[in-house]
Amino acid sequence: MFFRNLTLFRFPTTTKLDALDSGLDECQLKPVGPLELSSRGFISPYGRDSDGLAARQRDAIWLAVGGEDRLLPGSVVNDMLAKKLAEIEQKEGRKPGGRTRKRIKDELITDLLPRAFVKPSRTDALLDLEHGIVVVDTSSRKNAENVVSEIRRALGSFPALPLNAEVAPRSVLTGWIAGEPLPDGLSLGDECELRDPVDQGAVVKCQRQELQGDEIGKHLEAGKQVTRLALTLDDHVSFVLGEDMIVRKFKLLDGAVDQLESTDREDLRAELDARFALMSGEVKRLFGVLENALKLSKAEA
């Protein structure tokens, strides 16, 4: 259990979470109904068949939002609709009107939904009570906001907002490649994306590249700016930071994982707890570095 992408939100550290457990119980995932397209709700982070809807390690809470979606491709519905309309036109000698088309389409969907396959999904989240941050394991802002909305539904109120930087992340990332000193512990990786600041400008994506070499330097001289940058925090974490402040390709390195392998656990739940404790500690440390580097605003109570 390790997150692969980090989309972060901030909430006031004074936020009361006393009603979280009861709220999670009320907002558990329910099986998608025969005439429903989707269902969302909380599941156990240890697995759908496990007990407990939250795992806690000191001031960190691990949640998981599960989903069930019925797979009903629009192409299937449209193909059957076209056949139905063709039959009506041939029988009655006229094309059905808009209301008739809508009624027939709704009838088809009602008929097909109970037989459609159900696709399960899961998105994990970390609540760091010390720093007042929600970390969602996705690179999709929309998916992350949906998870925060589920937490808000469980609590009734949850003032979490996307990160807000007081400096332009693009300028900070560009400065690091251009030779400005990086924060203590951070070092450059071998991947970046550069963009021309004009609309529809050129985009250059580099992988397995020396980022402070002449080739990248020429792109900077031409006015391109860094929008994504691979970085390493000590020998513990590697990741790609975007100007949207989403952390992608988050990976724990040997320096961190060695701590996990040196412990002795007998069951899967204890193993997952240990992994969560390790990961949450590294995420907190990374957030502290990014908070100072990007001058992230505090959440207002």
Side-chain angles (χ1 to χ4, degrees):
M1 174 262 130
F2 291 130
F3 288 17
R4 292 175 294 180
N5 300 283
L6 313 177
T7 299
L8 295 95
F9 299 77
R10 296 205 80 163
F11 63 90
T13 55
T14 56
T15 301
K16 300 296 184 183
L17 300 180
D18 300 340
L20 180 61
D21 289 335
S22 59
L24 294 178
D25 288 336
E26 294 178 2
C27 297
Q28 287 189 65
L29 174 67
K30 295 179 175 60
V32 62
L35 298 180
E36 293 179 322
L37 283 170
S38 63
S39 177
R40 292 291 182 274
F42 291 94
I43 60 175
S44 172
Y46 299 109
R48 294 194 179 211
D49 297 327
S50 301
D51 296 328
L53 297 176
R56 299 172 186 260
Q57 293 286 338
R58 297 192 180 93
D59 53 11
I61 302 175
W62 177 18
L63 303 175
V65 173
E68 291 188 356
D69 296 274
R70 289 196 177 274
L71 302 181
L72 188 58
S75 58
V76 173
V77 176
N78 292 334
D79 182 60
M80 294 185 68
L81 176 62
K83 292 178 180 178
K84 288 278 189 181
L85 295 175
E87 291 174 3
I88 294 174
E89 184 176 357
Q90 183 176 15
K91 182 178 179 180
E92 300 181 0
R94 62 179 181 82
K95 290 185 176 182
R99 289 185 179 180
T100 301
R101 291 170 61 91
K102 184 179 184 306
R103 175 181 58 80
I104 295 174
K105 185 173 184 179
D106 290 343
E107 290 174 353
L108 285 172
I109 292 175
T110 300
D111 181 57
L112 291 171
L113 268 179
R115 294 178 283 159
F117 287 108
V118 175
K119 179 183 178 182
S121 62
R122 166 180 173 152
T123 306
D124 291 82
L126 158 67
L127 273 67
D128 177 358
L129 307 185
E130 178 186 1
H131 297 97
I133 57 173
V134 182
V135 184
V136 186
D137 182 15
T138 180
S139 61
S140 165
R141 181 73 66 186
K142 180 180 179 180
N143 289 345
E145 289 174 348
N146 289 339
V147 169
V148 172
S149 293
E150 287 297 315
I151 299 173
R152 188 173 293 118
R153 182 165 72 96
L155 289 172
S157 175
F158 186 53
L161 296 172
L163 296 183
N164 179 45
E166 296 179 4
V167 296
R170 182 182 290 203
S171 66
V172 174
L173 300 179
T174 303
W176 288 346
I177 280 190
E180 294 181 6
L182 279 79
D184 290 343
L186 276 189
S187 58
L188 295 177
D190 62 357
E191 177 181 343
C192 74
E193 176 183 278
L194 303 102
R195 289 179 179 266
D196 195 306
V198 301
D199 290 339
Q200 306 299 317
V203 179
V204 177
K205 296 182 180 181
C206 303
Q207 292 183 322
R208 298 183 293 277
Q209 177 82 36
E210 169 55 51
L211 299 186
Q212 290 187 319
D214 293 340
E215 187 174 346
I216 298 296
K218 290 179 181 178
H219 287 300
L220 297 178
E221 290 175 3
K224 293 185 180 67
Q225 299 174 336
V226 179
T227 52
R228 290 190 186 181
L229 179 62
L231 296 159
T232 300
L233 180 58
D234 297 326
D235 61 345
H236 284 214
V237 176
S238 66
F239 59 97
V240 174
L241 178 62
E243 66 170 337
D244 54 5
M245 292 182 288
I246 293 176
V247 175
R248 297 171 174 86
K249 298 184 180 182
F250 179 81
K251 181 180 180 181
L252 297 184
L253 304 178
D254 290 344
V257 177
D258 287 347
Q259 302 174 39
L260 184 67
E261 295 175 346
S262 65
T263 59
D264 183 23
R265 291 169 300 279
E266 297 180 354
D267 61 75
L268 178 60
R269 194 171 185 124
E271 171 74 19
L272 292 174
D273 281 338
R275 286 173 173 263
F276 175 64
L278 172 62
M279 190 205 68
S280 61
E282 295 298 334
V283 169
K284 289 181 182 184
R285 197 160 66 95
L286 173 59
F287 175 77
V289 173
L290 298 182
E291 181 179 32
N292 291 329
L294 301 176
K295 300 187 184 332
L296 299 179
S297 303
K298 300 285 186 182
E300 296 183 1

